[in-house]
Structures are given as C-alpha cells and as structure tokens.
Amino acid sequence: MKKLILAAIGGAALGLVATSQIAGPLLAQESKNNASVYEQLDLFGDIFERIRAGYVEDVDDKELIEAAINGMLTSLDPHSSYLSADDAARMRVQTSGEFGGLGIEVTQEEGWVKVVSPMDGTPADAAGVIAGDFITAVDGESVLGLTLDDAVNMMRGPVGSEIIITIVREGEVEPFDVSIIRDTIKLTAVRSRTEGNAVVLRVTTFNDQTFPNLREGLAKQVEDAGGIENVDGFVLDLRNNPGGLLNQAIYVSDAFLDAGEIVSTRGRDAADGERFNAEPGDLAQGKPIVVLINGGSASASEIVAGALQDHRRAIVVGTKSFGKGSVQTVVPLRGDGAMRLTTARYYTPSGRSIQALGISPDIIVEQPRPRPSSDEDDEDQPRQQRSEADLRGSLDNDSLTDDEIRQIEEDRARAEAAAQLREDDYQLAYAIDILKGLNALGPTALLDP
C-alpha cells in the first residue's frame, strides 16, 4: 500500500515538474507578445504625434484616429470597416428602405471600386450601369488607392447634383464616362406582377420591408388570378440584388419551406455558430418555384437561392452569383459611430460555403446584352407578313363561334406577349417557360429526384 501511495505522489510530483517546464516558456512567450503589442502601440503614438507636429498642413486629430481605425479594419477584408456617426446613421436609414445617392451596391477589388449591382429604378440603373462594372474615377479623380468608404463618399452629394463616373466594362475596349443625377433612393423591396399564369416576385433588396412586401404581393397576385389553382408557379427574381439583412433572407427562405435548415453561420469559435431552421407553412402552397440569379446577386440573395436549391424546392436559373459568403456584425461604438466587422461565414443546408465561389445555377442562362439600335438593324428587321385575312374580299371563317374566335385572339395575344418578353428579358421568359412545363406535367413531375 505504501508503495502505491508513494508511486502516486511521485507521479503527481513528476506531473508538476513537467507542467512547470512547459508553462514557463508559454508564459514567457505570452509576455513577449504583450510587450510587442505595447511597443507597436507606442509606435502608433509616436507616428501620430510626428504627424500632428510636422505635417505640411494642420490635421484634425479626430479624423486621423478614425482613418487609422478604418485602415485597421479594411486591412482584414473588403467588408469590415469603421462607420463614423454620419455613416452609421446613413446605414440605419438604408436598411429602413430610403436614402440619397446613385443606387448602386459596390465592393472593392484589387484597389478598384466594383459594382455588385445597380438597384432597380434608381439613377444608376437608368444610366445603364451594370453588375461587374469597375468605377475607376469620379468626376475625373481616380479612386485607385482609396478605401471603399472614401470612394463611396466621393459619390455622395446633394440630391439633384450631377456626377460623372468613369467605367471600365468587360467587352469594351476603352473606359467611358457616365453622367448620373443624384436622387433620393426609395427602395420598394419587392415588386410583384403576373406574367401569363406565373407570379413574378422581383426582390430588389433585403431590408426591413422585404418579407412583409413579399407576403402581401404574393397574396394579392394569387387573389387577382382567382386562386392558387390558376397559377403555374412563382418566379423569385433575385438578379442584381446585393443582399442586406440576414433575418430577412431567413424569412423569405422560410416562406417557401416547410422544414429543414435554411442557413448556418460559423465563426472563429465553434460555440458561436448558429443554425436557422424553417417552420411549417409554404406561401406558394407547393407550386413550383424558379429562382433567377446573376453576378449581381450577393449575400442574402445567395442564402435564399442556396437554401431553396439544396432542399430541391426551386430550380435556380441564370448565371453564377457574386460569392459573398460572410456575415458582418455592426457593433455600436462610443460617439455614435459603429464598427462593421466580419464575424462568421455562412453555409447552405448541404454545408456549402459559397465564399468567392457563388451559387451555381441548375440551368445556366445568359442574358443577351442589349444592342444599340441603328438604321442597319431596322433594315434587317423582317417585314410584317400578310395573311389571308388581310386580303380584300377574303372569306370569313364560319365554323367558329364568337366566343371561340375571342379565345383564339386572347391566346394569340398571350403568345405575342411571351415573344416580346423574350426580347425584353430572356432569362425571365425562360423561367416562365419552365413553370409552364412543370405545371403541364403535373405535381408528380415537380422537383422529385
């Protein structure tokens, strides 16, 4: 028994020795790291004082410190940044659905400002700015080397004032200037309409109004159609939607899912991860859904597209999305400012991270770029062909009733409207054709594997 006790004590003693031998260097290393941090902070203070004392012009201490903080944050990734009190207030207004500006969502790529997407019905949209454009100068002044916030500040200005941005676009040989008149941007989060027998839900952004707008718009279109039985399906148009609030993306996904995971977020620590699941209830009542995406669909848009795609609840059509798979947390700071910090990545229900990869459509459909019209193009257009009914003195069709003739004319008008839609918006027309096909095949053909 004594030997056992001694052995146990000896083992404990050895354990203490071993622990002290390991902990010593670790503590020393931590102390060294702390000393290095303090030295760097002292260096910052030295530089700050040298700038205040020796810079060629007087400097604003507050602006210097804010610039240093913003530089620290923007060095992490393109979406982390410092928000001054004015910027923080402006961001809160934007998420509420109304703000002043051009109406474009931008990011930064290799020092240049890249357009994620223009927002529907805004001055930038009307001026022809498209997703993927690079803005290289504002009013003749280069934006290269500026932070994203500084570049955005250059584009802000009084409502009604003119701004000229220089754009580099893929497929164009030379940069070109675009003149835009700043305006108050009032975002309608969701626009709903019916094309043929398909309900089109155009989601432009994810702000506080998105889910309420979608729910009300969907219900109205179904009611106007005379009931869900008269609807082929739904097109959820997320093209050029730059994203927005995470909770709204979850609500919109949940609107069409009865169960299962919608999205998960994972931070640096596993304990900080969250999972968001759908609750029973499908606003579409099982009708087929097509989701439209393109290179301007980012963040919250990709959460919705990924969730519906993974659950095989929708067919995703269009082109690869933007690929922003990170979550930003806005942390209020003293002085009414805020810090926007990337705190997590999000993952689709199947475990996919779409960071830098994007959502790949089930069916890739490119949107033809509009060609400028010319006299030669007009000459190439086929002339309106004459039919038997156009001939003078042609016989009437006496085999059809007035109601049958009216039905034929209505069907012809719908076919012509569908043909015009293919000219105006090929991707949307393609999505509606898919819904027609699925509806014709019946419920057993919908999205079963």
Side-chain angles (χ1 to χ4, degrees):
M1 182 66 68
K2 289 181 180 179
K3 288 182 179 178
L4 289 175
I5 292 174
L6 290 171
I9 294 172
L14 287 172
L16 289 172
V17 171
T19 301
S20 65
Q21 288 176 336
I22 295 172
L26 287 177
L27 291 172
Q29 181 65 37
E30 183 178 354
S31 177
K32 182 179 179 181
N33 289 340
N34 287 339
S36 177
V37 169
Y38 291 132
E39 287 175 2
Q40 293 296 314
L41 290 174
D42 287 341
L43 176 61
F44 172 81
D46 291 343
I47 293 173
F48 177 72
E49 290 299 333
R50 179 59 64 91
I51 293 172
R52 294 178 68 195
Y55 187 65
V56 65
E57 296 176 354
D58 289 336
V59 293
D60 185 298
D61 293 352
K62 183 173 179 288
E63 289 182 0
L64 268 183
I65 294 172
E66 287 184 351
I69 294 170
N70 194 49
M72 179 168 54
L73 287 165
T74 56
S75 71
L76 301 173
D77 65 82
H79 307 293
S80 295
S81 63
Y82 172 75
L83 301 173
S84 66
D86 290 342
D87 290 339
R90 196 175 292 114
M91 184 200 67
R92 287 190 289 270
V93 170
Q94 287 182 12
T95 57
S96 70
E98 181 177 331
F99 57 96
L102 306 182
I104 52 175
E105 179 77 11
V106 295
T107 187
Q108 200 161 35
E109 188 172 299
E110 297 181 359
W112 298 107
V113 176
K114 183 178 182 180
V115 176
V116 175
S117 66
M119 300 171 186
D120 284 358
T122 61
D125 183 35
V129 178
I130 64 174
D133 282 349
F134 284 89
I135 298 173
T136 60
V138 174
D139 289 331
E141 185 176 345
S142 175
V143 299
L144 183 62
L146 297 179
T147 67
L148 185 60
D149 284 344
D150 287 341
V152 169
N153 285 333
M154 288 178 65
M155 289 184 272
R156 291 186 177 129
V159 170
S161 61
E162 182 187 23
I163 178 176
I164 297 176
I165 59 175
T166 303
I167 286 177
V168 171
R169 178 176 295 170
E170 183 180 357
E172 298 288 340
V173 178
E174 297 289 338
F176 57 94
D177 291 339
V178 175
S179 172
I180 304 176
I181 304 299
R182 297 180 178 96
D183 198 0
T184 299
I185 309 302
K186 295 181 179 179
L187 292 180
T188 302
V190 182
R191 295 185 178 93
S192 59
R193 71 182 194 274
T194 298
E195 291 281 353
N197 294 327
V199 173
V200 180
L201 301 166
R202 169 68 181 135
V203 185
T204 59
T205 187
F206 287 87
N207 61 27
D208 289 331
Q209 305 304 315
T210 299
F211 178 65
N213 285 175
L214 181 137
R215 180 178 54 200
E216 293 161 11
L218 185 151
K220 183 179 185 305
Q221 294 302 318
V222 171
E223 181 182 356
D224 291 347
I228 194 71
E229 63 276 5
N230 298 321
V231 173
D232 286 345
F234 297 84
V235 177
L236 192 61
D237 187 353
L238 301 177
R239 292 174 298 175
N240 293 330
N241 183 322
L245 300 176
L246 173 63
N247 66 338
Q248 292 294 315
I250 293 168
Y251 296 153
V252 171
S253 302
D254 194 4
F256 305 108
L257 294 172
D258 276 320
E261 183 179 302
I262 294 172
V263 67
S264 63
T265 62
R266 305 176 201 173
R268 184 167 64 184
D269 297 328
D272 294 335
E274 290 185 276
R275 293 182 184 275
F276 301 91
N277 297 312
E279 297 179 356
D282 177 4
L283 294 183
Q285 301 181 45
K287 287 286 184 174
I289 299 171
V290 173
V291 176
L292 281 176
I293 62 171
N294 64 5
S297 306
S299 194
S301 298
E302 295 171 297
I303 289 176
V304 175
L308 298 182
Q309 184 182 53
D310 281 0
H311 284 289
R312 300 183 65 82
R313 182 63 187 91
I315 296 174
V316 179
V317 172
T319 55
K320 184 173 73 69
S321 62
F322 185 74
K324 180 182 177 292
S326 59
V327 179
Q328 282 69 48
T329 300
V330 178
V331 182
L333 301 173
R334 67 183 69 179
D336 295 328
M339 172 176 64
R340 186 168 50 205
L341 183 66
T342 300
T343 53
R345 289 182 172 88
Y346 69 74
Y347 296 79
T348 70
S350 65
R352 290 182 294 165
S353 169
I354 58 89
Q355 176 61 29
L357 296 176
I359 296 291
S360 296
D362 298 308
I363 303 174
I364 296 176
V365 179
E366 297 279 353
Q367 182 83 313
R369 291 192 176 182
R371 292 189 310 163
S373 60
S374 64
D375 293 339
E376 293 180 5
D377 292 335
D378 294 337
E379 292 174 3
D380 293 338
Q381 295 295 321
R383 296 182 181 275
Q384 182 69 36
Q385 295 190 356
R386 292 163 61 89
S387 68
E388 171 71 17
D390 297 321
L391 299 179
R392 181 179 299 174
S394 63
L395 298 175
D396 293 332
N397 188 320
D398 60 359
S399 66
L400 299 175
T401 67
D402 290 343
D403 288 341
E404 288 172 332
I405 292 174
R406 188 181 305 109
Q407 184 62 48
I408 289 173
E409 290 174 346
E410 289 176 357
D411 290 343
R412 181 179 296 130
R414 280 194 292 270
E416 289 174 353
Q420 184 59 48
L421 183 61
R422 288 187 182 89
E423 291 292 325
D424 298 338
D425 191 339
Y426 181 74
Q427 289 175 323
L428 178 57
Y430 195 103
I432 292 172
D433 285 344
I434 290 175
L435 293 179
K436 287 180 184 175
L438 290 173
N439 194 67
L441 291 172
T444 57
L446 293 185
L447 295 176
D448 295 333

